[in-house]
Amino acid sequence: MPKILDGRLAGVGSDVPADSEELARQQAVKQIEARRRFKISTAAGRGTVLLMVLAMAALALAGCGSPRPGAFSPAGARIAAQQLARSGAVSVIVFVSDHGHSAMATAGTAPPAAGQRFRIGSVTKTFTATLVLQLVDQKRIGLDDPVGRYLPGVIPAGGTITIRELLQHTSGLADFTDFPSWMDQAERSPSIRPIDALRLAASHPLVFAPGSQWEYSSTNYIALGLVIEKVTGHPFGQELRQRILTPLALSRTELATTRRLPDLHDPGTNPNLGWAAGVIVSDARDLARFFSALLSGHLVSRASLAKMTRTVPGSLGVFSEDGLGIFATSLPCGRFWGHPGRILNYATLVAASGNGAHIKVISVRGPLGQLSTDESALLCPALAPGLFVPN
């Protein structure tokens, strides 16, 4: 496996000249208003939560308008972490890797260790999508194949919903997390299995005709996890380890298989609910390494990466476009790729440059509904004068 995070990789740059600050602000305001409220799955948490934009979006450390594209000051990580703590986060981890350099900062009323692992919630979906695209590269799955070819009889509309539509949240399948009574019972059940969540959602009418609209649904990624198992004949967790975790030496990353983990101080959650849609546990450095490997073409073919990054409108936090398991947004200081996630009281966000050289990871814990820091301001410091220190 070639080196992935090293000084040879270029960072994200700024396309906005210094004299266009007002235009940049106007563009950002329009984007913020357009995504003021959004739906994000709690995966194995309880139901679907409507939040203001996630307070922890990506930490972009003094990148906009800097003399060197993607340049950052290590002090910016500390300032971003402190800002998030002041916004209400109990625990904050901020990490950036760029041009072979990295910065890490922690904050909060109970600041974690720099290497503390955390639940990444729906960022799990990017791992699942990567596995699917690897199988596409091997010609074992077709993106335009109907899901019913792999899971016959499970989804009534399985003959019309494609693998691509599952990946891109255009399938029309209901989100199983939208049924709180069922979720409460399933969360406590020792016998619940991922296919039960899919069957529940599939028993309800489609929200829209497949391919006609976009709506985020964790059900899509439960179905994809089951497709991976059907095609490979192996458990999803085994494929995850063999295809991604071991090759990239992601020793701090795992698919949770038990309700509680010894290094996480939380009440735990049923791992069979979120499963391939939301129960991976990781740390900031591992997440940065994974996204760098993916976006730099080390995990899927260039052809598959091009398909993953072909987007449709789909708003999720700071992101305004949805690819196949990875989201994108264009801001005045650059274009960012990544995914947000939430589970229990953890919120995670990864944002990266298009070549995977400049990676930002933030994890926060706390009363997320009270956090109000704007993602765009953290991604583009020029929109929040005084928040970040100069290079």
Side-chain angles (χ1 to χ4, degrees), residues 162-371:
T162 68
I163 299 297
R164 188 191 306 271
E165 288 162 349
L166 293 173
L167 287 163
Q168 203 155 43
H169 298 289
T170 57
S171 69
L173 283 172
D175 193 335
F176 70 90
T177 69
D178 282 343
F179 303 95
S181 295
W182 184 89
M183 286 289 293
D184 285 344
Q185 295 178 27
E187 171 62 31
R188 297 190 299 268
S189 172
S191 61
I192 200 73
R193 293 294 178 265
I195 196 169
D196 297 323
L198 177 58
R199 284 175 171 152
L200 168 79
S203 70
H204 291 267
L206 292 176
V207 179
F208 49 79
S212 66
Q213 298 181 46
W214 182 94
E215 186 168 330
Y216 190 84
S217 173
S218 285
T219 303
N220 294 318
Y221 279 76
I222 298 298
L224 289 167
L226 292 168
V227 168
I228 291 167
E229 291 195 333
K230 181 70 172 182
V231 170
T232 64
H234 300 141
F236 175 80
Q238 178 179 332
E239 289 296 310
L240 178 68
R241 287 192 303 274
Q242 291 181 350
R243 292 174 174 272
I244 298 177
L245 306 188
T246 298
L248 294 182
L250 304 184
S251 61
R252 304 281 292 163
T253 304
E254 67 175 306
L255 182 78
T257 57
T258 59
R259 182 178 295 274
R260 305 191 70 169
L261 296 171
D263 61 330
L264 299 185
H265 304 292
D266 60 49
T269 186
N270 190 328
N272 287 325
L273 270 182
W275 194 52
V279 301
I280 285 180
V281 174
S282 188
D283 71 1
R285 292 184 184 275
D286 270 15
L287 284 182
R289 189 170 182 84
F290 165 68
F291 274 84
S292 180
L294 174 62
L295 290 168
S296 60
H298 288 82
L299 287 175
V300 300
S301 70
R302 288 293 179 181
S304 284
L305 185 59
K307 294 171 183 175
M308 289 186 80
T309 53
R310 190 173 301 143
T311 63
V312 299
S315 180
L316 195 67
V318 71
F319 298 111
S320 55
E321 305 166 47
D322 187 12
L324 304 182
I326 192 167
F327 285 81
T329 192
S330 295
L331 294 174
C333 60
R335 186 162 175 81
F336 296 86
W337 294 90
H339 207 296
R342 183 180 177 212
I343 187 169
L344 298 177
N345 70 338
Y346 296 82
T348 304
L349 190 134
V350 183
S353 60
N355 62 2
H358 187 83
I359 309 284
K360 304 118 182 191
V361 179
I362 295 181
S363 171
V364 301
R365 292 186 68 185
L368 302 180
Q370 298 177 18
L371 297 177

Side-chain angles (χ1 to χ4, degrees), residues 70 97 118 134 239 349:
S97 177
F118 45 86
Q134 288 180 344
E239 289 296 310
L349 190 134

Side-chain angles (χ1 to χ4, degrees), residues 77-96:
R78 183 181 69 253
I79 294 171
Q82 292 171 347
Q83 174 72 8
L84 289 165
R86 286 194 295 270
S87 296
V90 174
S91 170
V92 182
I93 298 171
V94 170
F95 175 82
V96 66

